Amino acid sequence: MKQENNKNENGRQQFDARIHRLGITSTLVVWCFFLLVPAAICVIFGLKIDLAATAKAAAPIMLIFAITGLCEKLSMAPIIGPGAVYLASSTGNIQNMKLPAALNAMKIMECEEGSEKGRVVAILAVAASFVTTAIVFCGMLFLAPIMAPLLTNPVIAPAFDNLFPALVGPMVIPVVLKNLKVASLPVGLAIVIALVLGSTYSSVQSIVMVVVILISLGVYKAAYKKK
């Protein structure tokens, strides 16, 4: 029995190591492809890059998205596993497509969040959601002329403006209800901060996210010790 447990543990470690190695490699390859587009444009049109102006314009955006991206990865990895996070991060549409697909797949398969089975199911779900990405791309390509008047209609447009909160709500509420005592303080604090800041909340949401995550970890640790 002990040898079998050691064998399983070694298998898990090898699987995790391969996932991280493949994930890091694929992420670097994707970065290179991203940089090839502006590089090719500069070469073809003979443009010179002003590094100082580029850094000045990119610094605020990088600061916001770096914090947001880090918080997303730290919050998602324990739930859907590193493999699904690597795959979702390389393909995009994480919050409104990849993460819901992974969570729904784990729910259907009755997998516990963060379990080994749940991680494998999440990887398969994120990979399968590429079909949805292709459908969305085709819809954008062929249905844009038809949908544009609908999306810009003054009566219907407010509904599309609130589409992302409508998607996030059903994902957050089950998690909050499952851990109501632990989640009440950080979620309540985030809501209060959003109400107090109003329209200026979007400019500091990354900072608020970091604070709320740290508070969540502290509350969870305190609840764990109390139990």
Side-chain angles (χ1 to χ4, degrees):
M1 180 64 69
K2 185 176 180 181
Q3 292 180 351
E4 184 177 351
N5 291 334
N6 292 335
K7 184 178 180 180
N8 292 335
E9 183 64 26
N10 292 332
R12 284 192 293 266
Q13 291 178 358
Q14 292 177 4
F15 177 78
D16 290 338
R18 291 182 62 184
I19 285 291
H20 286 295
R21 184 166 58 251
L22 182 60
I24 293 172
T25 303
S26 61
T27 301
L28 294 175
V29 171
V30 170
W31 283 358
C32 291
F33 278 112
F34 283 159
L35 294 176
L36 281 176
V37 176
I41 293 174
C42 292
V43 171
I44 293 172
F45 294 98
L47 302 176
K48 293 183 179 180
I49 300 177
D50 188 342
L51 296 179
T54 302
K56 183 178 180 180
I61 301 174
M62 289 178 61
L63 180 62
I64 294 174
F65 281 96
I67 297 175
T68 304
L70 179 62
C71 293
E72 284 182 350
K73 306 308 177 289
L74 291 176
S75 60
M76 289 190 302
I79 300 174
I80 63 176
V85 171
Y86 282 125
L87 190 56
S89 300
S90 299
T91 55
N93 277 339
I94 301 175
Q95 294 289 348
N96 58 354
M97 188 175 296
K98 302 301 190 301
L99 182 60
L103 293 176
N104 287 333
M106 288 191 292
K107 183 178 180 180
I108 293 172
M109 296 299 296
E110 298 181 353
C111 302
E112 186 178 354
E113 296 176 357
S115 64
E116 294 179 12
K117 182 180 177 182
R119 293 182 177 187
V120 175
V121 170
I123 293 175
L124 297 175
V126 172
S129 65
F130 287 135
V131 177
T132 311
T133 304
I135 295 173
V136 171
F137 178 77
C138 293
M140 176 190 67
L141 193 62
F142 300 109
L143 298 180
I146 301 175
M147 296 297 294
L150 181 63
L151 297 176
T152 56
N153 187 291
V155 178
I156 304 177
F160 291 101
D161 293 337
N162 293 281
L163 186 60
F164 181 70
L167 289 172
V168 173
M171 293 189 297
V172 173
I173 290 176
V175 179
V176 173
L177 293 178
K178 184 178 179 181
N179 305 278
L180 187 59
K181 292 183 179 180
V182 178
S184 297
L185 178 60
V187 172
L189 180 61
I191 294 174
V192 170
I193 294 175
L195 293 175
V196 171
L197 295 179
S199 59
T200 60
Y201 175 77
S202 59
S203 60
V204 294
Q205 61 180 350
S206 299
I207 300 175
V208 175
M209 186 183 297
V210 174
V211 173
V212 171
I213 287 178
L214 293 176
I215 293 175
S216 300
L217 293 174
V219 173
Y220 187 83
K221 184 177 181 180
Y224 181 79
K225 286 185 175 181
K226 187 177 180 180
K227 288 182 180 180

Short mmCIF file of all heavy atoms in Angstrom, two decimals, residues 167-223:
data_model
loop_
_atom_site.label_atom_id
_atom_site.label_comp_id
_atom_site.label_asym_id
_atom_site.label_seq_id
_atom_site.Cartn_x
_atom_site.Cartn_y
_atom_site.Cartn_z
N LEU A 167 -23.10 37.63 -16.23
CA LEU A 167 -22.39 36.36 -16.32
C LEU A 167 -21.65 36.04 -15.02
O LEU A 167 -21.60 34.89 -14.58
CB LEU A 167 -21.41 36.37 -17.49
CG LEU A 167 -22.01 36.35 -18.90
CD1 LEU A 167 -20.92 36.58 -19.94
CD2 LEU A 167 -22.69 35.02 -19.16
N VAL A 168 -21.04 37.07 -14.43
CA VAL A 168 -20.23 36.86 -13.23
C VAL A 168 -21.12 36.50 -12.04
O VAL A 168 -20.74 35.66 -11.21
CB VAL A 168 -19.40 38.11 -12.92
CG1 VAL A 168 -18.67 37.97 -11.59
CG2 VAL A 168 -18.38 38.35 -14.03
N GLY A 169 -22.30 37.12 -11.95
CA GLY A 169 -23.18 36.87 -10.82
C GLY A 169 -23.48 35.41 -10.58
O GLY A 169 -23.27 34.88 -9.47
N PRO A 170 -23.97 34.68 -11.60
CA PRO A 170 -24.27 33.25 -11.39
C PRO A 170 -23.05 32.41 -11.03
O PRO A 170 -23.20 31.34 -10.45
CB PRO A 170 -24.84 32.81 -12.75
CG PRO A 170 -25.36 34.06 -13.36
CD PRO A 170 -24.43 35.14 -12.92
N MET A 171 -21.85 32.88 -11.40
CA MET A 171 -20.65 32.12 -11.04
C MET A 171 -20.22 32.41 -9.61
O MET A 171 -19.70 31.53 -8.91
CB MET A 171 -19.50 32.48 -12.01
CG MET A 171 -19.71 32.02 -13.43
SD MET A 171 -18.24 32.21 -14.44
CE MET A 171 -18.04 33.99 -14.41
N VAL A 172 -20.43 33.64 -9.16
CA VAL A 172 -19.95 34.04 -7.83
C VAL A 172 -20.90 33.57 -6.74
O VAL A 172 -20.47 33.09 -5.68
CB VAL A 172 -19.76 35.57 -7.77
CG1 VAL A 172 -19.43 36.01 -6.35
CG2 VAL A 172 -18.67 36.00 -8.72
N ILE A 173 -22.21 33.70 -6.97
CA ILE A 173 -23.19 33.42 -5.93
C ILE A 173 -23.08 31.99 -5.38
O ILE A 173 -23.08 31.80 -4.15
CB ILE A 173 -24.62 33.71 -6.44
CG1 ILE A 173 -24.80 35.22 -6.62
CG2 ILE A 173 -25.67 33.17 -5.48
CD1 ILE A 173 -26.14 35.61 -7.21
N PRO A 174 -22.97 30.94 -6.23
CA PRO A 174 -22.83 29.59 -5.64
C PRO A 174 -21.60 29.43 -4.77
O PRO A 174 -21.64 28.75 -3.74
CB PRO A 174 -22.76 28.68 -6.88
CG PRO A 174 -23.42 29.46 -7.96
CD PRO A 174 -23.07 30.88 -7.69
N VAL A 175 -20.48 30.06 -5.17
CA VAL A 175 -19.25 29.97 -4.37
C VAL A 175 -19.43 30.69 -3.04
O VAL A 175 -19.00 30.21 -1.98
CB VAL A 175 -18.07 30.56 -5.15
CG1 VAL A 175 -16.80 30.50 -4.31
CG2 VAL A 175 -17.86 29.81 -6.46
N VAL A 176 -20.08 31.86 -3.07
CA VAL A 176 -20.31 32.62 -1.84
C VAL A 176 -21.24 31.86 -0.90
O VAL A 176 -20.99 31.76 0.31
CB VAL A 176 -20.90 34.00 -2.18
CG1 VAL A 176 -21.31 34.74 -0.90
CG2 VAL A 176 -19.88 34.84 -2.94
N LEU A 177 -22.32 31.29 -1.45
CA LEU A 177 -23.27 30.56 -0.61
C LEU A 177 -22.64 29.29 -0.03
O LEU A 177 -23.00 28.87 1.08
CB LEU A 177 -24.51 30.20 -1.43
CG LEU A 177 -25.38 31.38 -1.88
CD1 LEU A 177 -26.54 30.89 -2.71
CD2 LEU A 177 -25.88 32.18 -0.69
N LYS A 178 -21.72 28.69 -0.79
CA LYS A 178 -21.06 27.48 -0.31
C LYS A 178 -20.15 27.78 0.87
O LYS A 178 -19.96 26.94 1.76
CB LYS A 178 -20.26 26.85 -1.45
CG LYS A 178 -19.61 25.53 -1.10
CD LYS A 178 -18.87 24.96 -2.30
CE LYS A 178 -18.20 23.65 -1.97
NZ LYS A 178 -17.45 23.10 -3.14
N ASN A 179 -19.55 28.99 0.90
CA ASN A 179 -18.65 29.39 1.99
C ASN A 179 -19.11 30.75 2.53
O ASN A 179 -18.36 31.72 2.51
CB ASN A 179 -17.21 29.49 1.50
CG ASN A 179 -16.73 28.21 0.85
OD1 ASN A 179 -16.32 27.28 1.53
ND2 ASN A 179 -16.79 28.15 -0.48
N LEU A 180 -20.35 30.81 2.96
CA LEU A 180 -20.97 32.08 3.31
C LEU A 180 -20.24 32.80 4.45
O LEU A 180 -19.99 34.01 4.37
CB LEU A 180 -22.44 31.86 3.69
CG LEU A 180 -23.27 33.13 3.92
CD1 LEU A 180 -23.28 33.98 2.66
CD2 LEU A 180 -24.70 32.76 4.31
N LYS A 181 -19.87 32.08 5.49
CA LYS A 181 -19.21 32.72 6.63
C LYS A 181 -17.86 33.30 6.25
O LYS A 181 -17.48 34.38 6.70
CB LYS A 181 -19.04 31.71 7.77
CG LYS A 181 -20.35 31.28 8.40
CD LYS A 181 -20.11 30.33 9.56
CE LYS A 181 -21.41 29.92 10.21
NZ LYS A 181 -21.20 28.99 11.36
N VAL A 182 -17.13 32.57 5.40
CA VAL A 182 -15.81 33.04 4.99
C VAL A 182 -15.91 34.15 3.96
O VAL A 182 -15.13 35.10 3.97
CB VAL A 182 -14.98 31.86 4.42
CG1 VAL A 182 -13.62 32.33 3.94
CG2 VAL A 182 -14.82 30.78 5.49
N ALA A 183 -16.89 34.06 3.05
CA ALA A 183 -16.97 35.00 1.93
C ALA A 183 -17.70 36.30 2.28
O ALA A 183 -17.57 37.28 1.54
CB ALA A 183 -17.67 34.33 0.76
N SER A 184 -18.45 36.34 3.37
CA SER A 184 -19.28 37.51 3.67
C SER A 184 -18.45 38.78 3.82
O SER A 184 -18.78 39.83 3.25
CB SER A 184 -20.09 37.25 4.95
OG SER A 184 -20.97 36.18 4.78
N LEU A 185 -17.36 38.70 4.58
CA LEU A 185 -16.55 39.90 4.83
C LEU A 185 -15.89 40.44 3.57
O LEU A 185 -16.06 41.62 3.24
CB LEU A 185 -15.51 39.61 5.92
CG LEU A 185 -14.56 40.78 6.25
CD1 LEU A 185 -15.35 41.98 6.74
CD2 LEU A 185 -13.53 40.35 7.30
N PRO A 186 -15.11 39.64 2.82
CA PRO A 186 -14.46 40.19 1.63
C PRO A 186 -15.44 40.65 0.55
O PRO A 186 -15.25 41.70 -0.07
CB PRO A 186 -13.57 39.05 1.12
CG PRO A 186 -14.10 37.83 1.77
CD PRO A 186 -14.68 38.24 3.06
N VAL A 187 -16.50 39.87 0.31
CA VAL A 187 -17.48 40.26 -0.71
C VAL A 187 -18.22 41.52 -0.28
O VAL A 187 -18.42 42.45 -1.08
CB VAL A 187 -18.48 39.11 -0.97
CG1 VAL A 187 -19.60 39.58 -1.87
CG2 VAL A 187 -17.76 37.93 -1.59
N GLY A 188 -18.62 41.59 0.99
CA GLY A 188 -19.29 42.78 1.50
C GLY A 188 -18.40 44.01 1.42
O GLY A 188 -18.85 45.11 1.07
N LEU A 189 -17.11 43.83 1.75
CA LEU A 189 -16.17 44.94 1.68
C LEU A 189 -16.01 45.45 0.24
O LEU A 189 -16.00 46.66 -0.01
CB LEU A 189 -14.81 44.50 2.22
CG LEU A 189 -13.70 45.56 2.21
CD1 LEU A 189 -14.09 46.75 3.08
CD2 LEU A 189 -12.38 44.96 2.70
N ALA A 190 -15.92 44.52 -0.73
CA ALA A 190 -15.79 44.92 -2.13
C ALA A 190 -17.02 45.68 -2.60
O ALA A 190 -16.91 46.68 -3.32
CB ALA A 190 -15.58 43.68 -3.00
N ILE A 191 -18.21 45.25 -2.18
CA ILE A 191 -19.44 45.94 -2.57
C ILE A 191 -19.49 47.34 -1.97
O ILE A 191 -19.85 48.32 -2.65
CB ILE A 191 -20.66 45.12 -2.12
CG1 ILE A 191 -20.73 43.79 -2.91
CG2 ILE A 191 -21.95 45.91 -2.33
CD1 ILE A 191 -21.81 42.85 -2.43
N VAL A 192 -19.10 47.47 -0.70
CA VAL A 192 -19.11 48.78 -0.05
C VAL A 192 -18.13 49.73 -0.73
O VAL A 192 -18.44 50.91 -1.00
CB VAL A 192 -18.76 48.63 1.45
CG1 VAL A 192 -18.53 50.01 2.08
CG2 VAL A 192 -19.88 47.91 2.17
N ILE A 193 -16.92 49.24 -1.05
CA ILE A 193 -15.93 50.08 -1.72
C ILE A 193 -16.44 50.53 -3.09
O ILE A 193 -16.29 51.69 -3.48
CB ILE A 193 -14.60 49.32 -1.87
CG1 ILE A 193 -13.98 49.07 -0.49
CG2 ILE A 193 -13.62 50.11 -2.74
CD1 ILE A 193 -12.73 48.22 -0.53
N ALA A 194 -17.08 49.61 -3.82
CA ALA A 194 -17.62 49.96 -5.14
C ALA A 194 -18.71 51.01 -5.03
O ALA A 194 -18.77 51.95 -5.85
CB ALA A 194 -18.15 48.70 -5.83
N LEU A 195 -19.56 50.90 -4.02
CA LEU A 195 -20.63 51.89 -3.84
C LEU A 195 -20.08 53.24 -3.43
O LEU A 195 -20.56 54.29 -3.87
CB LEU A 195 -21.63 51.39 -2.79
CG LEU A 195 -22.46 50.15 -3.19
CD1 LEU A 195 -23.32 49.69 -2.02
CD2 LEU A 195 -23.33 50.47 -4.40
N VAL A 196 -19.05 53.23 -2.58
CA VAL A 196 -18.48 54.50 -2.11
C VAL A 196 -17.73 55.21 -3.24
O VAL A 196 -17.87 56.44 -3.43
CB VAL A 196 -17.53 54.24 -0.93
CG1 VAL A 196 -16.76 55.51 -0.57
CG2 VAL A 196 -18.32 53.76 0.29
N LEU A 197 -16.94 54.48 -4.01
CA LEU A 197 -16.13 55.09 -5.06
C LEU A 197 -16.96 55.46 -6.30
O LEU A 197 -16.59 56.38 -7.03
CB LEU A 197 -15.00 54.15 -5.47
CG LEU A 197 -13.96 53.86 -4.38
CD1 LEU A 197 -12.91 52.90 -4.91
CD2 LEU A 197 -13.30 55.15 -3.90
N GLY A 198 -18.02 54.72 -6.55
CA GLY A 198 -18.88 55.04 -7.69
C GLY A 198 -18.16 54.86 -9.02
O GLY A 198 -17.54 53.83 -9.27
N SER A 199 -18.22 55.89 -9.86
CA SER A 199 -17.65 55.79 -11.20
C SER A 199 -16.13 55.71 -11.20
O SER A 199 -15.52 55.30 -12.19
CB SER A 199 -18.09 57.00 -12.04
OG SER A 199 -17.68 58.21 -11.44
N THR A 200 -15.48 56.11 -10.11
CA THR A 200 -14.02 56.06 -10.04
C THR A 200 -13.50 54.68 -9.66
O THR A 200 -12.29 54.46 -9.62
CB THR A 200 -13.50 57.09 -9.01
OG1 THR A 200 -14.04 56.77 -7.71
CG2 THR A 200 -13.92 58.49 -9.40
N TYR A 201 -14.41 53.75 -9.39
CA TYR A 201 -13.99 52.41 -8.97
C TYR A 201 -13.17 51.70 -10.04
O TYR A 201 -12.23 50.96 -9.72
CB TYR A 201 -15.23 51.57 -8.62
CG TYR A 201 -14.92 50.13 -8.29
CD1 TYR A 201 -14.39 49.78 -7.05
CD2 TYR A 201 -15.15 49.12 -9.22
CE1 TYR A 201 -14.10 48.47 -6.75
CE2 TYR A 201 -14.87 47.80 -8.92
CZ TYR A 201 -14.34 47.48 -7.69
OH TYR A 201 -14.06 46.17 -7.39
N SER A 202 -13.51 51.92 -11.31
CA SER A 202 -12.82 51.22 -12.40
C SER A 202 -11.33 51.54 -12.45
O SER A 202 -10.53 50.72 -12.90
CB SER A 202 -13.46 51.56 -13.75
OG SER A 202 -13.41 52.96 -13.98
N SER A 203 -10.94 52.72 -11.97
CA SER A 203 -9.52 53.11 -12.03
C SER A 203 -8.69 52.46 -10.94
O SER A 203 -7.47 52.42 -11.03
CB SER A 203 -9.40 54.64 -11.93
OG SER A 203 -9.95 55.11 -10.70
N VAL A 204 -9.34 51.94 -9.90
CA VAL A 204 -8.59 51.33 -8.79
C VAL A 204 -9.06 49.90 -8.53
O VAL A 204 -8.73 49.34 -7.47
CB VAL A 204 -8.75 52.17 -7.50
CG1 VAL A 204 -8.11 53.54 -7.65
CG2 VAL A 204 -10.22 52.31 -7.12
N GLN A 205 -9.78 49.30 -9.47
CA GLN A 205 -10.34 47.98 -9.21
C GLN A 205 -9.25 46.92 -9.02
O GLN A 205 -9.45 45.96 -8.26
CB GLN A 205 -11.26 47.57 -10.36
CG GLN A 205 -10.59 47.48 -11.72
CD GLN A 205 -11.56 47.07 -12.80
OE1 GLN A 205 -12.69 46.69 -12.51
NE2 GLN A 205 -11.14 47.14 -14.05
N SER A 206 -8.10 47.10 -9.69
CA SER A 206 -7.01 46.13 -9.52
C SER A 206 -6.48 46.15 -8.09
O SER A 206 -6.20 45.11 -7.49
CB SER A 206 -5.88 46.44 -10.51
OG SER A 206 -6.34 46.35 -11.84
N ILE A 207 -6.33 47.36 -7.54
CA ILE A 207 -5.85 47.49 -6.16
C ILE A 207 -6.87 46.91 -5.18
O ILE A 207 -6.52 46.20 -4.23
CB ILE A 207 -5.56 48.97 -5.83
CG1 ILE A 207 -4.49 49.51 -6.79
CG2 ILE A 207 -5.12 49.13 -4.39
CD1 ILE A 207 -4.23 50.99 -6.63
N VAL A 208 -8.15 47.21 -5.43
CA VAL A 208 -9.21 46.67 -4.57
C VAL A 208 -9.21 45.14 -4.63
O VAL A 208 -9.39 44.46 -3.62
CB VAL A 208 -10.58 47.23 -5.01
CG1 VAL A 208 -11.70 46.57 -4.21
CG2 VAL A 208 -10.62 48.73 -4.82
N MET A 209 -8.98 44.59 -5.82
CA MET A 209 -8.96 43.13 -5.98
C MET A 209 -7.85 42.50 -5.15
O MET A 209 -8.06 41.49 -4.48
CB MET A 209 -8.77 42.78 -7.46
CG MET A 209 -8.88 41.29 -7.75
SD MET A 209 -8.57 40.90 -9.49
CE MET A 209 -9.92 41.79 -10.27
N VAL A 210 -6.66 43.13 -5.16
CA VAL A 210 -5.55 42.61 -4.35
C VAL A 210 -5.90 42.64 -2.87
O VAL A 210 -5.68 41.67 -2.13
CB VAL A 210 -4.27 43.42 -4.63
CG1 VAL A 210 -3.16 42.98 -3.70
CG2 VAL A 210 -3.84 43.26 -6.08
N VAL A 211 -6.46 43.76 -2.42
CA VAL A 211 -6.82 43.90 -1.00
C VAL A 211 -7.85 42.86 -0.60
O VAL A 211 -7.73 42.21 0.46
CB VAL A 211 -7.34 45.33 -0.74
CG1 VAL A 211 -7.87 45.44 0.69
CG2 VAL A 211 -6.24 46.35 -0.97
N VAL A 212 -8.88 42.68 -1.43
CA VAL A 212 -9.95 41.74 -1.11
C VAL A 212 -9.42 40.30 -1.10
O VAL A 212 -9.80 39.49 -0.24
CB VAL A 212 -11.11 41.88 -2.13
CG1 VAL A 212 -12.12 40.75 -1.94
CG2 VAL A 212 -11.79 43.22 -1.97
N ILE A 213 -8.52 39.97 -2.02
CA ILE A 213 -7.94 38.62 -2.03
C ILE A 213 -7.13 38.37 -0.77
O ILE A 213 -7.22 37.30 -0.15
CB ILE A 213 -7.07 38.42 -3.29
CG1 ILE A 213 -7.96 38.29 -4.53
CG2 ILE A 213 -6.19 37.18 -3.16
CD1 ILE A 213 -7.20 38.15 -5.81
N LEU A 214 -6.33 39.35 -0.36
CA LEU A 214 -5.54 39.20 0.87
C LEU A 214 -6.45 39.05 2.09
O LEU A 214 -6.18 38.22 2.98
CB LEU A 214 -4.61 40.40 1.03
CG LEU A 214 -3.49 40.52 0.00
CD1 LEU A 214 -2.69 41.81 0.22
CD2 LEU A 214 -2.55 39.32 0.06
N ILE A 215 -7.52 39.83 2.13
CA ILE A 215 -8.47 39.71 3.24
C ILE A 215 -9.15 38.35 3.21
O ILE A 215 -9.35 37.71 4.26
CB ILE A 215 -9.52 40.84 3.16
CG1 ILE A 215 -8.85 42.19 3.44
CG2 ILE A 215 -10.64 40.60 4.17
CD1 ILE A 215 -9.78 43.38 3.28
N SER A 216 -9.48 37.85 2.01
CA SER A 216 -10.11 36.54 1.89
C SER A 216 -9.19 35.45 2.42
O SER A 216 -9.64 34.54 3.14
CB SER A 216 -10.45 36.26 0.42
OG SER A 216 -11.33 37.24 -0.09
N LEU A 217 -7.91 35.54 2.07
CA LEU A 217 -6.94 34.55 2.57
C LEU A 217 -6.83 34.61 4.09
O LEU A 217 -6.76 33.57 4.76
CB LEU A 217 -5.58 34.80 1.93
CG LEU A 217 -5.48 34.53 0.42
CD1 LEU A 217 -4.11 34.96 -0.10
CD2 LEU A 217 -5.72 33.07 0.12
N GLY A 218 -6.83 35.84 4.64
CA GLY A 218 -6.75 35.98 6.09
C GLY A 218 -7.97 35.42 6.79
O GLY A 218 -7.86 34.72 7.81
N VAL A 219 -9.16 35.71 6.25
CA VAL A 219 -10.39 35.20 6.85
C VAL A 219 -10.45 33.68 6.77
O VAL A 219 -10.83 32.99 7.72
CB VAL A 219 -11.62 35.83 6.14
CG1 VAL A 219 -12.91 35.17 6.63
CG2 VAL A 219 -11.67 37.32 6.40
N TYR A 220 -10.06 33.13 5.61
CA TYR A 220 -10.07 31.68 5.44
C TYR A 220 -9.10 31.00 6.40
O TYR A 220 -9.41 29.96 6.99
CB TYR A 220 -9.72 31.33 4.00
CG TYR A 220 -9.88 29.86 3.70
CD1 TYR A 220 -11.12 29.33 3.38
CD2 TYR A 220 -8.78 29.01 3.74
CE1 TYR A 220 -11.28 27.98 3.10
CE2 TYR A 220 -8.93 27.65 3.47
CZ TYR A 220 -10.16 27.15 3.15
OH TYR A 220 -10.32 25.82 2.89
N LYS A 221 -7.91 31.61 6.57
CA LYS A 221 -6.92 31.03 7.49
C LYS A 221 -7.45 31.07 8.92
O LYS A 221 -7.30 30.09 9.68
CB LYS A 221 -5.63 31.81 7.39
CG LYS A 221 -4.50 31.25 8.24
CD LYS A 221 -3.22 32.01 8.05
CE LYS A 221 -2.08 31.43 8.90
NZ LYS A 221 -0.82 32.18 8.72
N ALA A 222 -8.09 32.17 9.30
CA ALA A 222 -8.64 32.28 10.65
C ALA A 222 -9.75 31.26 10.87
O ALA A 222 -9.83 30.62 11.93
CB ALA A 222 -9.16 33.69 10.87
N ALA A 223 -10.63 31.09 9.87
CA ALA A 223 -11.71 30.11 9.98
C ALA A 223 -11.16 28.70 10.05
O ALA A 223 -11.66 27.85 10.79
CB ALA A 223 -12.66 30.26 8.79
#
